[in-house]
Amino acid sequence: MQAKASNPPDGGYGWVVVVSAFMVMGLTAAVLKTFGLFFVEIQQHFDELASTTSWITSVTIAIFHLGAPVASSLCVRYTHRAVVITGGLLAFSGMALGFLGLNMVWMYATTGFLQGLGISFSWTPAISIVSHYFSKKRALANAIASAGECAFAFTFGPFFQWLISQYGWKGALLIIGGIQLNICVCGVLMRPLASSCLLEGSHSETETPPGNGASRIDKEDTYRITHKTFNWMLVRRPEFVLYAIFGLLAAMSFFVPPLFLVPLSYSLGIDESWTASLLSILAMVDFAGRLLCGWYANLHVTKPVHLLTMTITLISTSLMLLPLANNYLSLAIFTGFYGFFFGTTVAVHITVLADVVGMPDFDSALGLFMLIRSTGGFVGPPLAGLIVDMAGDYRAGFYMAGATLVLSAGFLITLDQIQQRKERGSQTNTKPEKSMLPYPSLHLLKLQ
């Protein structure tokens, strides 16, 4: 009975949690992804440089990542449900206060800091609880949940453009904040799992001694969860460090294309209505890439880290080619390639993290991974903005993003080599032991 209770449900109410996480992804990451539509409006309103305006997005991304360990620890104390609801309220506050638009510092504090904290407190628990509800179908469940970002971004592109044209960028922020209150509804649907389910793998390794009371078991379970959430010793594991560096470099690149895609299209003389459709195309192919990669990863044909390395290589290639576009059609084609490979990357990278550290350490690993990755998200957009200002061309930002992703792929290759070496070593160590077992008498005869 205990073994059964310690296994994730792998279905049932878990699909309700997946749908709720799908909505949360759309109301957080999709809003961040389509914020490029506000870039030019805010830049012109405050008459600032591209590098100065891009700090709004960089602050949002940085706080989104920095808040992940805090969100993970709060999930242990107050459940995933409570943290998601809090995140919805923070996200609404950031947009509602950004409506005032007092100055650029005010925008950093509201649509930057508060919005980033709201996204972190919503996104992190949603991803975490999906991974706990599923084991065999984890890759597929994560892909479906993350696809909410694309499904919402597909409609948010033209919808946000319409809001800006009708109500101005300030009014659009207020309306979007009201829409984000639906995150609280999604949080209510995220039913907490029993401690035995959260401790997947812990009970299978250690049996509870007979005679202990239920209260003692609960205390031990709570201690184990808290200990895992604050397992900072993961930074001493080479595999995790390599994967975290990959995440840092990837974060420097991933947030650059959506930020500069709209300004690049304007510089090519493309109409605003067509520009908004580029974000819809990006979201549509991103959605297809996530579901297709999640389905393929669930077949267990290719090792997840190999699949991730391949998708990173392809996305970097598409980013290098995207600046070659000189009209709407070519820009839409290259955007489609980039969006598809980006979707495949996002669909599998959380599954790779679980494979690298194991599910017992997944919560702490997710928090630490997001914390380390925050540096890349914080530095990436302003660095790209600086390069754009120096070059006087938005294409330079895409070249920077592609080159950084090529570098990140090298760390994935190194990670895979270390894992393969360990696997070969473990197989070599077990073979002599097995060969000696059938012939104990010969071994004793040698000793005599």
Side-chain angles (χ1 to χ4, degrees), residues 89-303:
L89 295 174
L90 287 170
F92 163 73
S93 300
M95 287 296 192
L97 292 173
F99 160 77
L100 299 177
L102 302 180
N103 50 52
M104 191 60 74
V105 176
W106 179 262
M107 300 305 296
Y108 296 157
T110 55
T111 57
F113 181 84
L114 283 179
Q115 180 68 198
L117 197 62
I119 292 175
S120 182
F121 278 30
S122 305
W123 187 93
T124 307
I127 286 293
S128 177
I129 197 169
V130 168
S131 296
H132 282 299
Y133 260 96
F134 289 86
S135 178
K136 296 179 181 178
K137 301 176 182 177
R138 182 174 295 136
L140 181 61
N142 279 325
I144 294 174
S146 68
E149 174 185 339
C150 323
F152 276 73
F154 178 75
T155 56
F156 277 177
F159 177 58
F160 286 3
Q161 188 72 59
W162 179 81
L163 286 177
I164 293 172
S165 63
Q166 293 294 316
Y167 304 101
W169 66 269
K170 292 184 179 181
L173 288 181
L174 182 61
I175 295 172
I176 294 169
I179 295 173
Q180 285 183 308
L181 281 175
N182 288 284
I183 295 173
C184 301
V185 180
C186 299
V188 172
L189 295 174
M190 293 182 177
R191 180 189 300 167
L193 274 168
S195 60
S196 58
C197 292
L198 287 172
L199 291 169
E200 178 194 355
S202 297
H203 290 289
S204 60
E205 296 173 3
T206 309
E207 294 184 359
T208 306
N212 287 348
S215 60
R216 182 176 176 181
I217 294 174
D218 292 340
K219 289 180 181 178
E220 289 178 355
D221 288 348
T222 304
Y223 169 76
R224 288 170 184 163
I225 297 173
T226 306
H227 176 70
K228 284 177 171 54
T229 303
F230 295 97
N231 185 11
W232 298 96
M233 294 301 101
L234 283 170
V235 296
R236 295 184 177 182
R237 292 173 55 175
E239 297 94 332
F240 175 77
V241 172
L242 286 170
Y243 195 70
I245 295 174
F246 152 74
L248 186 151
L249 294 172
M252 289 182 63
S253 308
F254 284 163
F255 297 100
V256 172
L259 184 64
F260 291 114
L261 183 60
V262 172
L264 175 63
S265 65
Y266 287 161
S267 67
L268 295 174
I270 299 174
D271 187 72
E272 291 184 1
S273 59
W274 288 103
T275 297
S277 69
L278 287 175
L279 297 178
S280 297
I281 293 172
L282 184 65
M284 181 174 61
V285 294
D286 187 353
F287 181 83
R290 296 189 193 211
L291 293 183
L292 182 61
C293 188
W295 168 79
Y296 179 77
N298 204 57
L299 298 177
H300 305 289
V301 176
T302 305
K303 193 175 179 181

